[in-house]
Amino acid sequence: MYKFSFSIEHKDLFNSSLNYSLNYKALVFDAIFTLAAIFATIYTIFTGIYFTLTILYKILLIVCCILFPIIQPIIIYIKSYFHYLKIKDIQINMIFDDEKISISSKDESTIVLYENVYNFIKFKNMIVVLYDSIHGQIMPDRIFNNNKDEFYDYVSSKIKYAREKAKEKSN
């Protein structure tokens, strides 16, 4: 059994948002788009076309070059900061026992059976427990006291076992 009591910090929300925005498909698109914009800008400069473009087109080329590597992280940072202001004083308590996950805060309390966990993801800086495709709980690395891998293996095995058991019952 594992028990955690923690608050979410601004950097946790920012890292969580970055983790989701940098999934493989989005990352490939972002890289291709940015490289294409950089090559287009370099091409127009070397051919002299850049200097004949209107200011609007010049700005558009530059914005396309910095959209994903610079502007997107700034927007994510600002959004995560405003979200943090709404939840900054909330203490989260999580208990992982043999059959379920109990989550509580000052206003809410819920229980999620392992078989109903939508996804359980280990990132380099946190673990995320998703209850459905939208809702979940981030668990930053600082709460694990260097037991992150052990905890992840424990919960993963509980989820796998519960899903197999539920599958057997339905057959």
Side-chain angles (χ1 to χ4, degrees):
M1 180 163 71
Y2 288 88
K3 288 184 181 184
F4 300 101
S5 184
F6 59 97
S7 294
I8 299 296
E9 295 177 359
H10 174 249
K11 69 177 182 173
D12 301 328
L13 292 173
F14 177 67
N15 287 333
S16 174
S17 297
L18 271 184
N19 287 339
Y20 281 104
S21 71
L22 297 178
N23 69 49
Y24 179 73
K25 291 177 185 175
L27 190 60
V28 169
F29 173 80
D30 295 355
I32 291 170
F33 182 89
T34 302
L35 289 173
I38 290 170
F39 288 133
T41 303
I42 291 171
Y43 175 78
T44 59
I45 290 172
F46 281 125
T47 59
I49 297 171
Y50 184 82
F51 304 106
T52 63
L53 295 174
T54 64
I55 292 176
L56 180 63
Y57 284 123
K58 290 177 183 176
I59 291 171
L60 185 61
L61 276 173
I62 293 169
V63 167
C64 287
C65 291
I66 65 172
L67 180 63
F68 293 112
I70 297 172
I71 296 173
Q72 183 184 32
I74 290 171
I75 291 170
I76 290 172
Y77 183 85
I78 292 167
K79 285 175 64 177
S80 65
Y81 182 75
F82 284 119
H83 186 106
Y84 168 72
L85 292 177
K86 295 177 187 175
I87 65 165
K88 68 180 179 180
D89 296 326
I90 296 176
Q91 185 75 14
I92 300 162
N93 300 303
M94 297 183 78
I95 300 171
F96 294 80
D97 62 27
D98 287 337
E99 298 164 7
K100 65 190 177 307
I101 304 169
S102 304
I103 308 106
S104 62
S105 64
K106 70 178 183 180
D107 296 333
E108 296 180 43
S109 181
T110 188
I111 293 175
V112 178
L113 298 175
Y114 286 121
E115 66 191 55
N116 296 331
V117 171
Y118 181 79
N119 206 349
F120 188 64
I121 309 164
K122 180 169 76 169
F123 292 105
K124 66 179 181 179
N125 52 6
M126 67 183 56
I127 289 179
V128 178
V129 182
L130 288 170
Y131 312 124
D132 57 41
S133 61
I134 299 171
H135 302 95
Q137 180 61 54
I138 59 176
M139 302 175 71
D141 276 357
R142 69 176 182 281
I143 69 172
F144 295 113
N145 296 325
N146 297 322
N147 294 1
K148 180 180 174 183
D149 292 331
E150 177 185 314
F151 168 75
Y152 182 79
D153 293 341
Y154 171 81
V155 176
S156 293
S157 68
K158 294 294 181 185
I159 292 170
K160 184 179 178 183
Y161 177 75
R163 287 178 180 169
E164 288 173 356
K165 197 172 179 182
K167 195 176 185 180
E168 288 175 6
K169 282 184 183 179
S170 66
N171 288 336

